[in-house]
Amino acid sequence: MITFITGNKHKVIEAESIFKNYDIKLEHIDLGYMEPQGTLEDVALFGAKYASRKLNKSVIVEDAGLFIRALKGFPGVYSHYVQDTLGNQGILKLMEDVDDRYAEFRSVIGFCAPNSEPKIFLGKVNGLISTEERGNLGFAFDPIFYVESEGKTFGELSTEEKNKFSHRKNSLNKFIKWYASEYKE
């Protein structure tokens, strides 16, 4: 059993779908703590350590962001805030007349057990910012994140399709491999 600390039900659905392939049960707790300012890694390290100490159990947390090269990595660590304020249409407006549409989603899993220091696991997926929203699946920036190999945006992919290669899949896979081979409670 892994305890996943998040307030985002969409992340829980994606994680459960990935963990079931490894016969690992996921417990979800929404702890609602203040995140520090900093990198995705800083947030994941802090959140995992805080939650593990508060609950006195092993936990994972995840922080993710959309990093757009032409916008110098924006929105990056501010992705949640930017999604709530500018939304997809705001990002598309910022990208009008921009030729370089390269972007990547990054996901950092933070794991911590009581009385230990946290570990982090980074996953990425490359894509492009589309010129319009496409699809109504997924959440947040998914309808504007185009994956060339699929010929679709994340918003056009089911959870199962997205979980074959997403940033969250990549970070969770790294965590699961480490957890299964290295970690003993």
Side-chain angles (χ1 to χ4, degrees), residues 151-170:
K152 295 180 179 180
T153 67
F154 268 7
E156 296 172 295
L157 298 173
S158 69
T159 298
E160 292 74 28
E161 290 171 318
K162 183 178 168 184
N163 278 350
K164 290 178 183 170
F165 62 90
S166 76
H167 54 305
R168 192 161 294 115
K169 164 75 170 186
N170 294 333

Side-chain angles (χ1 to χ4, degrees), residues 13 32 97 101 151:
I13 291 167
D97 302 320
R101 303 194 76 83

Side-chain angles (χ1 to χ4, degrees), residues 5-143:
I5 308 299
T6 184
N8 186 324
K9 67 180 192 274
H10 300 287
K11 288 183 180 183
V12 174
I13 291 167
E14 287 184 14
E16 283 176 336
S17 177
I18 293 165
F19 276 90
K20 76 178 180 192
N21 294 328
Y22 299 92
D23 284 332
I24 299 173
K25 293 258 188 272
L26 198 64
E27 173 188 35
H28 167 234
I29 297 178
D30 182 357
L31 200 53
Y33 58 91
M34 288 296 294
E35 293 182 350
Q37 293 297 313
T39 65
L40 297 179
E41 291 84 356
D42 293 336
V43 172
L45 286 167
F46 173 84
K49 190 170 185 175
Y50 172 82
S52 176
R53 304 296 190 266
K54 180 145 178 92
L55 299 173
N56 195 33
K57 60 172 34 178
S58 298
V59 302
I60 60 170
V61 300
E62 191 250 6
D63 199 26
L66 175 66
F67 294 76
I68 303 171
R69 183 167 55 202
L71 301 179
K72 299 186 180 2
F74 182 82
V77 296
Y78 304 108
S79 291
H80 183 79
Y81 176 76
V82 170
Q83 180 58 225
D84 288 348
T85 55
L86 296 179
N88 292 338
Q89 289 303 312
I91 293 293
L92 292 175
K93 186 127 183 85
L94 289 172
M95 294 296 290
E96 281 180 359
D97 302 320
V98 174
D99 291 331
D100 180 6
R101 303 194 76 83
Y102 176 83
E104 60 186 40
F105 267 124
R106 298 179 193 161
S107 164
V108 177
I109 298 294
F111 168 82
C112 194
N115 305 313
S116 72
E117 288 304 305
K119 292 187 69 62
I120 56 172
F121 305 86
L122 171 67
K124 298 179 185 180
V125 67
N126 302 331
L128 302 169
I129 299 302
S130 63
T131 56
E132 64 184 2
E133 288 186 87
R134 289 182 23 204
N136 57 4
L137 302 174
F139 64 102
F141 296 116
D142 286 356

